[in-house]
Amino acid sequence: MGVIITDTQGRAFRNGAVGVAIGCIGISPIWKRIGEKDLYGRELQTTEIGVADELAAAASLLMGQANEGVPIVIIRGFENFDKLKKYSIKYKTIDKRKRI
């Protein structure tokens, strides 16, 4: 089990507050994609994804920024991206003509 401690942060030259990770344990906070290929087959040179910040931002939407009073969000089913790299991920697109 991983734990992420979050806080709210403003950003220079941007409106809106966003949740960010200020600490974590039990997960890899960075997903290093260096050496992988992009959509066009070019090798990534510097790409690193802030996994902890991404999860913190998603949780922050549920926790709220005002008087919601939600102190904790449980995210289930998250796998460390380093484990997922060995699998072939297939994406399913939604046909907008069909009703869901």
Side-chain angles (χ1 to χ4, degrees):
M1 174 172 66
V3 175
I4 301 172
I5 307 298
T6 69
D7 197 1
T8 301
Q9 188 175 68
R11 299 163 295 159
F13 307 108
R14 301 286 302 264
N15 288 336
V18 65
V20 295
I22 58 173
C24 68
I25 190 167
I27 70 162
S28 178
I30 302 291
W31 178 19
K32 296 182 180 185
R33 311 265 335 245
I34 298 165
E36 294 183 33
K37 304 285 185 192
D38 70 6
L39 290 173
Y40 305 101
R42 294 179 298 225
E43 186 174 319
L44 299 174
Q45 302 295 314
T46 61
T47 304
E48 296 181 343
I49 309 298
V51 175
D53 283 329
E54 297 278 8
L55 294 172
S60 181
L61 286 172
L62 300 173
M63 293 169 71
Q65 299 294 331
N67 64 352
E68 291 86 350
V70 180
I72 188 169
V73 172
I74 298 173
I75 300 173
R76 296 176 196 244
F78 172 75
E79 288 286 337
N80 184 331
F81 288 110
D82 291 330
K83 291 180 185 175
L84 293 176
K85 278 202 265 188
K86 64 183 176 183
Y87 299 107
S88 171
I89 299 173
K90 297 184 186 214
Y91 297 95
K92 182 178 181 183
T93 59
I94 297 173
D95 186 347
K96 293 181 182 179
R97 296 172 292 180
K98 295 180 181 176
R99 297 192 124 211
I100 299 175

